[in-house]
Amino acid sequence: MTDPRAAKSRPGLQTDAAKGRYHHGDLREALITAAMELVLERGAENFTLADACRRAGVSTAAPYKHFRDRDEVLEIVLQRGFDLMTEEADAAVAQAGPGTFAAMIALNKHYVLFAIKRPSLFKLMFGQSPELKQADLVLEQGQDCFGRVVKHFADYCEAAGIAEDPMQVCLRTWTFVHGLASLKIDEDYDAVAPDLDHMALLTDTLPLLLQDGMASGAR
Amino acid sequence: MTDPRAAKSRPGLQTDAAKGRYHHGDLREALITAAMELVLERGAENFTLADACRRAGVSTAAPYKHFRDRDEVLEIVLQRGFDLMTEEADAAVAQAGPGTFAAMIALNKHYVLFAIKRPSLFKLMFGQSPELKQADLVLEQGQDCFGRVVKHFADYCEAAGIAEDPMQVCLRTWTFVHGLASLKIDEDYDAVAPDLDHMALLTDTLPLLLQDGMASGAR
DNA sequence: TTGGTATGTTACAGGCACTTACTTAGTTAG
DNA sequence: CTAACTAAGTAAGTGCCTGTAACATACCAA
């Protein structure tokens, strides 16, 4: 297994980047990077493999040496999105202090901010037709990400003395923040409540959702 | 093949079957109907004007006599989606009794059921890129729909003696049910909680959201 | 009847996904 | 060191889609 990235230096010829060479060097990674950029810029629906090829400086047939089809590229972008989200979410909780109410605020705020900062990626991760998310690797990625979140909720529930199943609390809170993030980035609030302070809506509602649902007289 | 949908022709014109005729009769409406069907069947992303033409039995250039472009057809489908949703929602509330808690359950359940029954249409209405929703007519349609919902919430708040602004209650409840509907139809729950009873999640959480946020000790 | 307009048609330009057949760079065996 | 093999590019071509242009036909009105 030779690392393709190691074969960068070729004596006698241009020491510069892949410019002018027949072989690219690491086209697979270059295409994934281009795809991520294009998805962030224009959305997954408007992403074309041809654009990514132009950005990487290769012909439109080249990707098929590295990927099954357009969808596989999007699958990988999607995966990396979950990586990034998991990483950032963990950091947010760590900084706020695991088990604290502040950590719950930070975790859920992060979810919304992630969506606002990268709406197209967020939509690709959660909103796309199931075909893309069917892939086993992608499924795992999502499960890992969610598993960590449930853990953070469990920490809080224990610290706050909430008897309800943390999974349940997590699911209903996720549902709310996912709705918030979606309605915000799809600009659905704008048509109806243009002055809405969506972060205030989040911080105001979280206490309602984090209380013990069993003890609240629901039903 | 005589198209049964073409049966209702414009008055004064030939009312016979469209077969073999040079003029269609009501191509505009036929294309919208075909578009709605195709969106429901395969989703807006996979909708092609060419498919709609085949279904209506005309050439692929014909639509441009009636619509600006593909997007205008989708805009109209989207509009009709809001019509349908408004109509159904009103009916659900009327049946449960306006102002009652049962009406709140019915209204929010309807939102989720609408999404489950017509996931592609729901995504077109709320999830599509803003370009489609920018059109003034579409915006109005959405505002009308939401205005009715706020009214139902106001009825309930008054009857239940909730001092909080009904708009606020409505916005946070909408946010939750929208998240529920989205996560359900995008199959995001499946990866993570395959056995989730989403309707129970709705009925369990609604009481938490409908309580008076000002009086609940939030914050 | 006669022309005008609305509503069809065919033909075409341009773009994209993906395939096939070919070429070249880089690796490895003798 | 060379020859052969393999990996990774390219060009050209298919088929499908959107949208445009030029043309044809049905309906309408005077």
Side-chain angles (χ1 to χ4, degrees):
Chain A
M1 288 294 198
T2 51
D3 185 356
R5 251 167 297 195
K8 270 276 177 155
S9 54
R10 227 170 73 81
L13 278 183
Q14 311 183 8
T15 56
D16 218 340
K19 189 120 185 157
R21 306 228 317 253
Y22 189 91
H23 279 83
H24 182 282
D26 194 356
L27 181 56
R28 183 186 159 88
E29 203 55 35
L31 285 172
I32 294 172
T33 303
M36 175 63 88
E37 287 170 11
L38 287 165
V39 166
L40 290 172
E41 287 168 25
R42 314 211 262 271
E45 318 80 41
N46 302 321
F47 163 73
T48 70
L49 221 34
D51 277 337
C53 290
R54 272 181 289 267
R55 205 164 273 207
V58 293
S59 74
T60 58
Y64 297 92
K65 293 290 187 233
H66 300 275
F67 307 99
R68 190 202 334 121
D69 57 10
R70 178 182 178 278
D71 277 2
E72 193 187 341
V73 181
L74 286 178
E75 269 176 31
I76 295 169
V77 169
L78 195 161
Q79 252 179 263
R80 303 215 170 167
F82 274 115
D83 281 345
L84 181 59
M85 173 175 264
T86 308
E87 200 177 311
E88 284 185 4
D90 278 352
V93 169
Q95 192 176 357
T100 65
F101 182 74
M104 290 293 96
I105 294 274
L107 178 62
N108 287 285
K109 249 186 186 164
H110 166 261
Y111 191 88
V112 175
L113 289 173
F114 183 97
I116 290 173
K117 194 169 176 191
R118 309 176 189 86
S120 309
L121 182 58
F122 181 85
K123 284 193 211 179
L124 178 62
M125 290 163 63
F126 295 103
Q128 215 62 11
S129 51
E131 305 147 20
L132 281 185
K133 291 181 290 191
Q134 226 63 302
D136 290 349
L137 257 172
V138 176
L139 231 113
E140 265 181 54
Q141 217 84 8
Q143 286 166 347
D144 286 357
C145 186
F146 188 75
R148 298 283 260 278
V149 172
V150 174
K151 177 69 168 54
H152 297 314
F153 270 82
D155 287 349
Y156 172 73
C157 285
E158 190 177 348
I162 292 172
E164 197 181 359
D165 179 11
M167 179 69 162
Q168 200 65 20
V169 181
C170 182
L171 281 171
R172 85 169 162 249
T173 309
W174 178 33
T175 300
F176 179 80
V177 292
H178 185 82
L180 180 47
S182 300
L183 291 173
K184 179 65 185 171
I185 66 181
D186 288 335
E187 301 179 25
D188 292 315
Y189 285 132
D190 291 2
V192 134
D195 298 327
L196 175 69
D197 179 344
H198 61 280
M199 275 304 166
L201 177 58
L202 175 59
T203 51
D204 287 351
T205 308
L206 264 188
L208 301 180
L209 295 167
L210 288 176
Q211 68 187 264
D212 195 320
M214 308 320 288
S216 78
R219 266 274 176 55
Chain B
M1 318 262 168
T2 307
D3 188 341
R5 289 181 305 271
K8 46 150 192 172
S9 292
R10 292 206 314 254
L13 295 180
Q14 313 179 11
T15 51
D16 283 339
K19 164 147 187 159
R21 288 201 330 217
Y22 190 89
H23 280 84
H24 182 283
D26 194 357
L27 181 54
R28 183 185 159 87
E29 203 54 34
L31 285 172
I32 294 172
T33 303
M36 174 64 89
E37 287 171 9
L38 286 165
V39 165
L40 290 173
E41 287 170 24
R42 313 211 263 271
E45 318 79 43
N46 302 321
F47 162 74
T48 71
L49 221 35
D51 277 337
C53 290
R54 251 161 259 141
R55 205 164 272 208
V58 294
S59 74
T60 59
Y64 298 92
K65 295 290 188 227
H66 298 274
F67 307 98
R68 187 200 340 118
D69 56 12
R70 178 182 177 278
D71 276 3
E72 194 187 340
V73 182
L74 286 178
E75 270 175 30
I76 295 169
V77 170
L78 194 160
Q79 252 179 264
R80 303 215 169 165
F82 275 115
D83 282 345
L84 181 59
M85 173 176 263
T86 309
E87 199 177 312
E88 285 185 4
D90 278 351
V93 168
Q95 191 176 356
T100 64
F101 181 75
M104 290 293 97
I105 294 275
L107 178 61
N108 287 286
K109 249 186 185 163
H110 166 262
Y111 191 88
V112 175
L113 289 173
F114 183 98
I116 290 173
K117 194 170 177 190
R118 309 175 189 86
S120 308
L121 183 57
F122 182 84
K123 284 193 212 181
L124 178 62
M125 291 163 64
F126 295 103
Q128 214 65 9
S129 50
E131 306 146 20
L132 282 184
K133 290 180 291 191
Q134 225 64 302
D136 290 348
L137 256 172
V138 175
L139 230 113
E140 264 180 56
Q141 217 84 7
Q143 286 165 349
D144 285 357
C145 185
F146 187 76
R148 298 282 260 278
V149 172
V150 174
K151 177 68 168 55
H152 297 315
F153 270 83
D155 288 348
Y156 172 73
C157 285
E158 190 177 348
I162 292 173
E164 198 182 356
D165 179 11
M167 178 69 161
Q168 199 66 20
V169 181
C170 183
L171 281 171
R172 81 167 165 253
T173 308
W174 179 33
T175 299
F176 179 81
V177 293
H178 185 81
L180 180 47
S182 300
L183 291 172
K184 180 64 185 171
I185 65 180
D186 288 335
E187 301 179 26
D188 292 315
Y189 286 132
D190 291 1
V192 134
D195 298 328
L196 176 70
D197 180 345
H198 61 281
M199 275 307 167
L201 178 58
L202 175 59
T203 50
D204 288 351
T205 308
L206 264 188
L208 301 179
L209 295 167
L210 288 176
Q211 68 188 263
D212 195 320
M214 309 319 287
S216 77
R219 265 275 175 54

